[in-house]
Amino acid sequence: MRIVPLTSFLLLSIGAIAPAFAATLAVGPGKTYATPCRAFAAAKAGDIVEITGNVTYSGDVCTISPSKLIIRGVNGRPRIDAAGKNAQGKGTWVVAGNDIVIENVEMFGARVPDQNGAALRLEGTNFTLRSAFLHDNENGILTGANVNSNVVIEYSEFGHNGYGTGYTHNLYIGNIGSLTFRYNYSHDAHVGHNLKSRARVNTIAYNRFSSLNPGQTGSTAAGKPSYEIDLPNAGTSYVIGNVIQQPSSNENPTLLAYGEEGASNPGHDLYVVNNTFLNDNSSSGTFVLVGSAVTKKALLQNNIFAGVGTLTNQAGAVEKTNYRALAPGFVDRANFDLRPTANALVIGAASAPGYAPSGVGLKPGAEYRHRASGVSRPQVGALDIGAYESAL
């Protein structure tokens, strides 16, 4: 069951309710519009575009200009294949309208001459994506800079995006007002990061960041990522309840980087609470890397840090009730059942996270469920350390 916990830091999705006068435009074989882009061209602000699922729409690239559209796949998930084409030299769908919601689509194949193509290029203000699968693009999502824009991404999968230069990523969020990233599965970025965000406020909660071993194939091919999470310009950032795994084969041994490119965002406060970090690099690693320009001490509380490496490079970082071990006990580590087994240093051993000065609650209210979903955290008694409550 998918849920949205009633915790104070989770933002409401933007534009989720269509106006009463909205028209519904039907897309697909035998429908009014043969392709999504034809429907976008005809749509008016506030309309709903329903795309027939289990159909591949090849080369259907365009700019989405009207605002307040709800675009969703129905009766299965439609597959949008860029097929060698692009809109404006930027990607598959260039989202120029404001308050756009896109649901239940699969997008792949975005490539452009400058090697920076995106399945979704966000240029409007405010955007919501849910229940989507973006893979094998040069970027999954790429946004411009817009400090008035708030982006919500939930229940979605991102895999094997990136051109291979290290400048393209599964997601590349520019300097926007806020990013809420929850219940997602971001994995196997091709040389780039599984998530890169320059947003002024980041809420990254109940996600799984991981990669396959070389040669393996899952929903995508294996990737060789750099950082699992990169927040290069700092910003007020809540990293809560995530699984953050670094594969043995990687481009950079850091799992979470913060402010490494200069702390230019107004907020310099990082809260890393109740995550499970897994470093499969047996020779090196830094779990939380903090740039020298960051003026505040990061809070690292109630996390499991598994594997070798430096916990953090920041002198004086606030470390509370974390658990470190080369191989902590999990129910089934190989299959990512990361509920802790009997260990008095983990079960019931967490401290109360309380609230950030902003008033945001730091206590986890949910757990990630594979794939790209979540459930309420089933706490019995005192809070456990890590992203999951024990099976006991």
Side-chain angles (χ1 to χ4, degrees):
M1 178 181 67
R2 299 193 312 184
I3 55 90
V4 177
L6 297 178
T7 48
S8 60
F9 67 87
L10 292 182
L11 304 177
L12 293 174
S13 295
I14 300 163
I17 301 175
F21 55 84
T24 299
L25 286 67
V27 175
K31 304 295 184 180
T32 304
Y33 301 95
T35 68
C37 285
R38 292 184 184 181
F40 302 154
K44 306 297 182 186
D47 285 349
I48 300 169
V49 177
E50 294 191 337
I51 307 169
T52 300
N54 299 317
V55 174
T56 298
Y57 301 88
S58 294
D60 194 51
V61 302
C62 58
T63 298
I64 302 173
S65 297
S67 294
K68 299 185 183 298
L69 296 184
I70 297 177
I71 299 164
R72 62 192 179 205
V74 295
N75 300 318
R77 181 178 279 170
R79 298 179 295 273
I80 314 301
D81 179 4
K85 297 183 179 180
N86 67 78
Q88 301 184 45
K90 297 177 180 179
T92 305
W93 289 351
V94 179
V95 182
N98 302 326
D99 302 305
I100 300 290
V101 177
I102 297 179
E103 302 175 332
N104 192 37
V105 298
E106 178 180 353
M107 303 184 72
F108 54 97
R111 293 173 178 82
V112 301
D114 69 1
Q115 304 171 358
N116 200 33
L120 292 169
R121 178 70 173 262
L122 307 186
E123 297 187 346
T125 299
N126 299 335
F127 176 78
T128 296
L129 178 74
R130 65 172 62 94
S131 302
F133 179 24
L134 276 56
H135 64 94
D136 296 288
N137 305 283
E138 290 173 338
N139 290 284
I141 292 180
L142 176 62
T143 84
N146 181 351
V147 297
N148 296 312
S149 186
N150 302 295
V151 171
V152 176
I153 300 169
E154 57 189 7
Y155 304 115
S156 294
E157 180 179 356
F158 301 84
H160 207 252
N161 299 288
Y163 182 80
T165 59
Y167 298 106
T168 51
H169 314 282
N170 270 352
L171 302 101
Y172 191 168
I173 307 300
N175 186 216
I176 62 171
S178 72
L179 168 68
T180 299
F181 191 79
R182 59 195 178 202
Y183 310 117
N184 300 299
Y185 175 37
S186 186
H187 61 98
D188 294 291
H190 180 42
V191 180
H193 309 314
N194 281 328
L195 172 62
K196 181 168 187 169
S197 174
R198 300 183 188 274
R200 294 189 170 197
V201 178
N202 296 283
T203 301
I204 301 169
Y206 319 127
N207 307 285
R208 172 173 156 181
F209 301 91
S210 67
S211 293
L212 297 164
N213 294 320
Q216 285 187 313
T217 301
S219 57
T220 71
K224 191 177 180 182
S226 294
Y227 303 141
E228 307 309 314
I229 303 173
D230 184 25
L231 309 174
N233 300 130
T236 298
S237 298
Y238 310 97
V239 182
I240 299 175
N242 302 281
V243 173
I244 305 172
Q245 179 252 353
Q246 175 171 251
S248 58
S249 179
N250 58 75
E251 292 289 336
N252 191 298
T254 293
L255 284 77
L256 166 59
Y258 181 78
E260 192 187 16
E261 295 181 24
S264 57
N265 277 328
H268 292 179
D269 41 336
L270 173 64
Y271 307 92
V272 182
V273 180
N274 276 99
N275 302 281
T276 295
F277 287 83
L278 308 170
N279 182 19
D280 290 336
N281 184 335
S282 62
S283 60
S284 65
T286 301
F287 291 99
V288 181
L289 180 68
V290 180
S292 59
V294 174
T295 58
K296 294 185 179 180
K297 301 305 180 184
L299 172 66
L300 312 180
Q301 184 172 0
N302 298 343
N303 302 286
I304 292 176
F305 295 101
V308 304
T310 302
L311 194 153
T312 182
N313 68 315
Q314 188 186 48
V318 180
E319 301 177 24
K320 299 177 64 176
T321 53
N322 298 296
Y323 180 73
R324 287 211 63 182
L326 287 177
F330 298 116
V331 171
D332 187 352
R333 166 65 178 86
N335 292 301
F336 280 83
D337 186 343
L338 300 176
R339 291 173 295 167
T341 53
N343 184 340
L345 298 177
V346 174
I347 297 174
S351 54
Y355 295 83
S358 62
V360 168
L362 301 176
K363 181 180 178 180
E367 296 177 342
Y368 174 83
R369 285 291 182 271
H370 205 55
R371 163 173 306 165
S373 189
V375 297
S376 295
R377 185 165 174 133
Q379 183 180 339
V380 177
L383 182 68
D384 295 348
I385 292 173
Y388 292 93
E389 289 292 302
S390 75
L392 302 178

Short mmCIF file of all heavy atoms in Angstrom, two decimals, residues 92-135:
data_model
loop_
_atom_site.label_atom_id
_atom_site.label_comp_id
_atom_site.label_asym_id
_atom_site.label_seq_id
_atom_site.Cartn_x
_atom_site.Cartn_y
_atom_site.Cartn_z
N THR A 92 13.08 15.34 -24.81
CA THR A 92 11.85 14.73 -25.32
C THR A 92 10.66 15.66 -25.10
O THR A 92 10.06 16.13 -26.06
CB THR A 92 11.62 13.38 -24.63
OG1 THR A 92 12.77 12.55 -24.82
CG2 THR A 92 10.40 12.68 -25.22
N TRP A 93 10.32 15.93 -23.87
CA TRP A 93 9.26 16.89 -23.57
C TRP A 93 9.88 18.07 -22.82
O TRP A 93 10.46 17.90 -21.73
CB TRP A 93 8.17 16.26 -22.70
CG TRP A 93 7.32 15.24 -23.43
CD1 TRP A 93 7.31 14.97 -24.76
CD2 TRP A 93 6.37 14.36 -22.82
NE1 TRP A 93 6.41 13.98 -25.04
CE2 TRP A 93 5.80 13.59 -23.88
CE3 TRP A 93 5.92 14.16 -21.53
CZ2 TRP A 93 4.83 12.62 -23.64
CZ3 TRP A 93 4.96 13.19 -21.29
CH2 TRP A 93 4.41 12.43 -22.34
N VAL A 94 9.75 19.26 -23.39
CA VAL A 94 10.19 20.49 -22.74
C VAL A 94 8.97 21.08 -22.05
O VAL A 94 8.02 21.51 -22.71
CB VAL A 94 10.78 21.48 -23.75
CG1 VAL A 94 11.20 22.77 -23.05
CG2 VAL A 94 11.97 20.85 -24.48
N VAL A 95 8.99 21.08 -20.72
CA VAL A 95 7.82 21.50 -19.95
C VAL A 95 7.93 23.00 -19.70
O VAL A 95 8.60 23.45 -18.77
CB VAL A 95 7.72 20.71 -18.63
CG1 VAL A 95 6.47 21.14 -17.85
CG2 VAL A 95 7.69 19.22 -18.92
N ALA A 96 7.24 23.78 -20.54
CA ALA A 96 7.28 25.24 -20.43
C ALA A 96 6.13 25.78 -19.59
O ALA A 96 6.22 26.88 -19.03
CB ALA A 96 7.25 25.86 -21.82
N GLY A 97 5.04 25.04 -19.50
CA GLY A 97 3.89 25.49 -18.72
C GLY A 97 4.15 25.39 -17.23
O GLY A 97 5.06 24.69 -16.76
N ASN A 98 3.33 26.10 -16.46
CA ASN A 98 3.44 26.10 -15.00
C ASN A 98 2.47 25.09 -14.39
O ASN A 98 1.42 24.78 -14.97
CB ASN A 98 3.12 27.49 -14.44
CG ASN A 98 4.04 28.56 -14.99
OD1 ASN A 98 5.22 28.30 -15.26
ND2 ASN A 98 3.52 29.76 -15.16
N ASP A 99 2.79 24.59 -13.21
CA ASP A 99 1.90 23.72 -12.43
C ASP A 99 1.46 22.49 -13.23
O ASP A 99 0.28 22.13 -13.25
CB ASP A 99 0.67 24.51 -11.95
CG ASP A 99 1.05 25.72 -11.12
OD1 ASP A 99 1.77 25.54 -10.12
OD2 ASP A 99 0.64 26.85 -11.47
N ILE A 100 2.42 21.85 -13.87
CA ILE A 100 2.16 20.65 -14.65
C ILE A 100 2.31 19.42 -13.76
O ILE A 100 3.23 19.33 -12.94
CB ILE A 100 3.14 20.54 -15.84
CG1 ILE A 100 3.00 21.76 -16.77
CG2 ILE A 100 2.94 19.25 -16.60
CD1 ILE A 100 1.72 21.81 -17.56
N VAL A 101 1.42 18.45 -13.95
CA VAL A 101 1.50 17.15 -13.27
C VAL A 101 1.61 16.07 -14.34
O VAL A 101 0.80 16.03 -15.28
CB VAL A 101 0.26 16.89 -12.40
CG1 VAL A 101 0.34 15.50 -11.76
CG2 VAL A 101 0.12 17.95 -11.32
N ILE A 102 2.60 15.20 -14.22
CA ILE A 102 2.75 14.06 -15.13
C ILE A 102 2.76 12.79 -14.29
O ILE A 102 3.50 12.68 -13.32
CB ILE A 102 4.04 14.16 -15.97
CG1 ILE A 102 3.98 15.40 -16.88
CG2 ILE A 102 4.26 12.90 -16.80
CD1 ILE A 102 5.22 15.61 -17.73
N GLU A 103 1.95 11.81 -14.71
CA GLU A 103 1.79 10.57 -13.95
C GLU A 103 1.85 9.36 -14.87
O GLU A 103 1.30 9.37 -15.97
CB GLU A 103 0.44 10.54 -13.22
CG GLU A 103 0.21 11.69 -12.25
CD GLU A 103 -1.18 11.68 -11.65
OE1 GLU A 103 -2.11 11.16 -12.32
OE2 GLU A 103 -1.35 12.18 -10.53
N ASN A 104 2.51 8.30 -14.40
CA ASN A 104 2.42 6.98 -15.01
C ASN A 104 2.86 6.95 -16.47
O ASN A 104 2.13 6.50 -17.35
CB ASN A 104 0.99 6.43 -14.88
CG ASN A 104 0.92 4.94 -15.23
OD1 ASN A 104 1.82 4.18 -14.91
ND2 ASN A 104 -0.15 4.54 -15.89
N VAL A 105 4.09 7.43 -16.73
CA VAL A 105 4.66 7.34 -18.07
C VAL A 105 6.06 6.73 -17.97
O VAL A 105 6.73 6.84 -16.94
CB VAL A 105 4.76 8.71 -18.77
CG1 VAL A 105 3.37 9.32 -18.96
CG2 VAL A 105 5.67 9.67 -18.00
N GLU A 106 6.48 6.09 -19.05
CA GLU A 106 7.85 5.61 -19.20
C GLU A 106 8.49 6.40 -20.33
O GLU A 106 7.90 6.54 -21.40
CB GLU A 106 7.88 4.12 -19.53
CG GLU A 106 9.27 3.56 -19.76
CD GLU A 106 9.28 2.07 -20.08
OE1 GLU A 106 8.22 1.44 -20.00
OE2 GLU A 106 10.37 1.55 -20.43
N MET A 107 9.70 6.93 -20.09
CA MET A 107 10.37 7.78 -21.08
C MET A 107 11.83 7.35 -21.21
O MET A 107 12.52 7.16 -20.21
CB MET A 107 10.28 9.25 -20.68
CG MET A 107 8.86 9.75 -20.49
SD MET A 107 8.76 11.53 -20.11
CE MET A 107 9.20 12.24 -21.71
N PHE A 108 12.28 7.21 -22.46
CA PHE A 108 13.66 6.78 -22.69
C PHE A 108 14.15 7.28 -24.04
O PHE A 108 13.37 7.73 -24.88
CB PHE A 108 13.77 5.25 -22.62
CG PHE A 108 12.82 4.50 -23.53
CD1 PHE A 108 13.25 4.05 -24.77
CD2 PHE A 108 11.52 4.24 -23.15
CE1 PHE A 108 12.40 3.35 -25.61
CE2 PHE A 108 10.65 3.53 -23.98
CZ PHE A 108 11.09 3.09 -25.22
N GLY A 109 15.47 7.27 -24.20
CA GLY A 109 16.08 7.59 -25.49
C GLY A 109 16.36 9.06 -25.73
O GLY A 109 16.68 9.43 -26.87
N ALA A 110 16.28 9.93 -24.73
CA ALA A 110 16.52 11.36 -24.95
C ALA A 110 18.00 11.62 -25.19
O ALA A 110 18.84 11.36 -24.32
CB ALA A 110 16.04 12.18 -23.76
N ARG A 111 18.31 12.13 -26.40
CA ARG A 111 19.68 12.48 -26.76
C ARG A 111 19.65 13.71 -27.65
O ARG A 111 18.76 13.84 -28.49
CB ARG A 111 20.36 11.31 -27.49
CG ARG A 111 20.58 10.10 -26.61
CD ARG A 111 21.10 8.90 -27.38
NE ARG A 111 21.33 7.77 -26.49
CZ ARG A 111 20.38 6.93 -26.08
NH1 ARG A 111 19.14 7.09 -26.51
NH2 ARG A 111 20.67 5.94 -25.25
N VAL A 112 20.62 14.61 -27.45
CA VAL A 112 20.70 15.83 -28.24
C VAL A 112 22.16 16.06 -28.62
O VAL A 112 23.07 15.46 -28.05
CB VAL A 112 20.15 17.05 -27.45
CG1 VAL A 112 18.69 16.82 -27.04
CG2 VAL A 112 20.99 17.33 -26.21
N PRO A 113 22.41 16.96 -29.59
CA PRO A 113 23.80 17.16 -30.05
C PRO A 113 24.77 17.57 -28.97
O PRO A 113 25.95 17.18 -29.01
CB PRO A 113 23.64 18.24 -31.12
CG PRO A 113 22.27 18.03 -31.67
CD PRO A 113 21.44 17.63 -30.48
N ASP A 114 24.33 18.36 -27.96
CA ASP A 114 25.29 18.78 -26.93
C ASP A 114 25.40 17.78 -25.78
O ASP A 114 26.01 18.06 -24.75
CB ASP A 114 24.95 20.17 -26.41
CG ASP A 114 23.67 20.23 -25.58
OD1 ASP A 114 23.03 19.16 -25.38
OD2 ASP A 114 23.30 21.32 -25.13
N GLN A 115 24.82 16.61 -25.93
CA GLN A 115 24.94 15.49 -24.99
C GLN A 115 24.32 15.79 -23.63
O GLN A 115 24.71 15.22 -22.62
CB GLN A 115 26.42 15.10 -24.82
CG GLN A 115 27.10 14.77 -26.13
CD GLN A 115 28.60 14.59 -26.00
OE1 GLN A 115 29.17 14.75 -24.92
NE2 GLN A 115 29.27 14.27 -27.10
N ASN A 116 23.31 16.65 -23.61
CA ASN A 116 22.67 17.07 -22.37
C ASN A 116 21.16 16.95 -22.46
O ASN A 116 20.43 17.69 -21.82
CB ASN A 116 23.07 18.51 -22.04
CG ASN A 116 22.89 18.87 -20.58
OD1 ASN A 116 23.05 18.03 -19.71
ND2 ASN A 116 22.54 20.11 -20.31
N GLY A 117 20.70 15.99 -23.26
CA GLY A 117 19.26 15.85 -23.47
C GLY A 117 18.57 15.24 -22.26
O GLY A 117 19.14 14.42 -21.54
N ALA A 118 17.31 15.63 -22.05
CA ALA A 118 16.54 15.15 -20.90
C ALA A 118 15.20 14.59 -21.36
O ALA A 118 14.58 15.12 -22.28
CB ALA A 118 16.31 16.28 -19.91
N ALA A 119 14.76 13.54 -20.71
CA ALA A 119 13.40 13.07 -20.96
C ALA A 119 12.41 14.18 -20.63
O ALA A 119 11.49 14.46 -21.39
CB ALA A 119 13.11 11.83 -20.13
N LEU A 120 12.63 14.85 -19.50
CA LEU A 120 11.81 15.98 -19.09
C LEU A 120 12.72 17.17 -18.80
O LEU A 120 13.52 17.13 -17.86
CB LEU A 120 10.99 15.64 -17.84
CG LEU A 120 9.90 14.59 -18.04
CD1 LEU A 120 9.33 14.14 -16.70
CD2 LEU A 120 8.78 15.12 -18.94
N ARG A 121 12.60 18.19 -19.60
CA ARG A 121 13.34 19.45 -19.38
C ARG A 121 12.35 20.44 -18.78
O ARG A 121 11.38 20.86 -19.45
CB ARG A 121 13.89 19.96 -20.71
CG ARG A 121 14.64 21.27 -20.62
CD ARG A 121 15.98 21.16 -19.91
NE ARG A 121 16.72 22.42 -20.00
CZ ARG A 121 17.67 22.66 -20.90
NH1 ARG A 121 18.01 21.73 -21.79
NH2 ARG A 121 18.29 23.82 -20.91
N LEU A 122 12.56 20.83 -17.54
CA LEU A 122 11.61 21.66 -16.81
C LEU A 122 11.99 23.12 -16.91
O LEU A 122 13.05 23.52 -16.43
CB LEU A 122 11.54 21.22 -15.34
CG LEU A 122 11.27 19.74 -15.08
CD1 LEU A 122 11.10 19.51 -13.58
CD2 LEU A 122 10.05 19.24 -15.85
N GLU A 123 11.10 23.92 -17.52
CA GLU A 123 11.35 25.35 -17.68
C GLU A 123 10.23 26.21 -17.09
O GLU A 123 10.37 27.42 -17.00
CB GLU A 123 11.54 25.68 -19.17
CG GLU A 123 12.76 24.98 -19.77
CD GLU A 123 13.07 25.41 -21.18
OE1 GLU A 123 12.19 26.05 -21.81
OE2 GLU A 123 14.17 25.12 -21.66
N GLY A 124 9.12 25.61 -16.69
CA GLY A 124 8.04 26.35 -16.07
C GLY A 124 8.24 26.43 -14.56
O GLY A 124 9.26 26.03 -14.01
N THR A 125 7.23 26.96 -13.89
CA THR A 125 7.23 27.08 -12.43
C THR A 125 6.32 26.02 -11.83
O THR A 125 5.16 25.91 -12.24
CB THR A 125 6.76 28.48 -12.01
OG1 THR A 125 7.66 29.45 -12.54
CG2 THR A 125 6.71 28.61 -10.49
N ASN A 126 6.85 25.24 -10.92
CA ASN A 126 6.14 24.18 -10.21
C ASN A 126 5.88 22.98 -11.12
O ASN A 126 5.42 23.12 -12.26
CB ASN A 126 4.83 24.66 -9.59
CG ASN A 126 5.02 25.76 -8.59
OD1 ASN A 126 6.10 25.89 -7.99
ND2 ASN A 126 4.00 26.57 -8.38
N PHE A 127 6.15 21.79 -10.58
CA PHE A 127 6.02 20.57 -11.36
C PHE A 127 5.89 19.39 -10.41
O PHE A 127 6.53 19.35 -9.36
CB PHE A 127 7.25 20.38 -12.25
CG PHE A 127 7.25 19.09 -13.03
CD1 PHE A 127 6.49 18.97 -14.19
CD2 PHE A 127 8.01 18.01 -12.62
CE1 PHE A 127 6.48 17.78 -14.90
CE2 PHE A 127 8.01 16.82 -13.32
CZ PHE A 127 7.24 16.70 -14.48
N THR A 128 5.05 18.42 -10.80
CA THR A 128 4.91 17.18 -10.04
C THR A 128 5.05 16.00 -10.99
O THR A 128 4.42 15.98 -12.06
CB THR A 128 3.55 17.10 -9.33
OG1 THR A 128 3.45 18.14 -8.36
CG2 THR A 128 3.36 15.76 -8.63
N LEU A 129 5.86 15.03 -10.59
CA LEU A 129 5.97 13.77 -11.33
C LEU A 129 5.70 12.64 -10.35
O LEU A 129 6.27 12.62 -9.25
CB LEU A 129 7.37 13.60 -11.92
CG LEU A 129 7.62 12.29 -12.67
CD1 LEU A 129 6.91 12.29 -14.02
CD2 LEU A 129 9.12 12.04 -12.87
N ARG A 130 4.86 11.69 -10.76
CA ARG A 130 4.65 10.52 -9.91
C ARG A 130 4.44 9.26 -10.75
O ARG A 130 3.97 9.31 -11.87
CB ARG A 130 3.48 10.75 -8.94
CG ARG A 130 2.11 10.89 -9.56
CD ARG A 130 1.01 10.91 -8.48
NE ARG A 130 1.16 12.03 -7.60
CZ ARG A 130 0.52 13.20 -7.77
NH1 ARG A 130 -0.26 13.38 -8.81
NH2 ARG A 130 0.70 14.18 -6.92
N SER A 131 4.85 8.16 -10.16
CA SER A 131 4.61 6.83 -10.75
C SER A 131 5.14 6.71 -12.16
O SER A 131 4.50 6.11 -13.03
CB SER A 131 3.11 6.49 -10.71
OG SER A 131 2.63 6.53 -9.39
N ALA A 132 6.33 7.26 -12.41
CA ALA A 132 6.94 7.25 -13.74
C ALA A 132 8.21 6.41 -13.73
O ALA A 132 8.75 6.06 -12.66
CB ALA A 132 7.23 8.66 -14.20
N PHE A 133 8.71 6.09 -14.93
CA PHE A 133 9.95 5.35 -15.10
C PHE A 133 10.74 6.02 -16.20
O PHE A 133 10.36 5.98 -17.37
CB PHE A 133 9.64 3.89 -15.45
CG PHE A 133 10.85 3.01 -15.67
CD1 PHE A 133 12.09 3.30 -15.11
CD2 PHE A 133 10.73 1.86 -16.44
CE1 PHE A 133 13.19 2.48 -15.31
CE2 PHE A 133 11.83 1.02 -16.65
CZ PHE A 133 13.05 1.32 -16.09
N LEU A 134 11.84 6.69 -15.82
CA LEU A 134 12.70 7.41 -16.77
C LEU A 134 14.06 6.72 -16.80
O LEU A 134 14.74 6.65 -15.78
CB LEU A 134 12.85 8.87 -16.35
CG LEU A 134 11.76 9.86 -16.79
CD1 LEU A 134 10.37 9.44 -16.35
CD2 LEU A 134 12.07 11.27 -16.29
N HIS A 135 14.43 6.23 -17.97
CA HIS A 135 15.66 5.45 -18.05
C HIS A 135 16.35 5.62 -19.40
O HIS A 135 15.73 5.95 -20.41
CB HIS A 135 15.36 3.96 -17.82
CG HIS A 135 14.47 3.34 -18.85
ND1 HIS A 135 14.95 2.66 -19.96
CD2 HIS A 135 13.12 3.28 -18.95
CE1 HIS A 135 13.94 2.22 -20.69
NE2 HIS A 135 12.81 2.58 -20.11
#
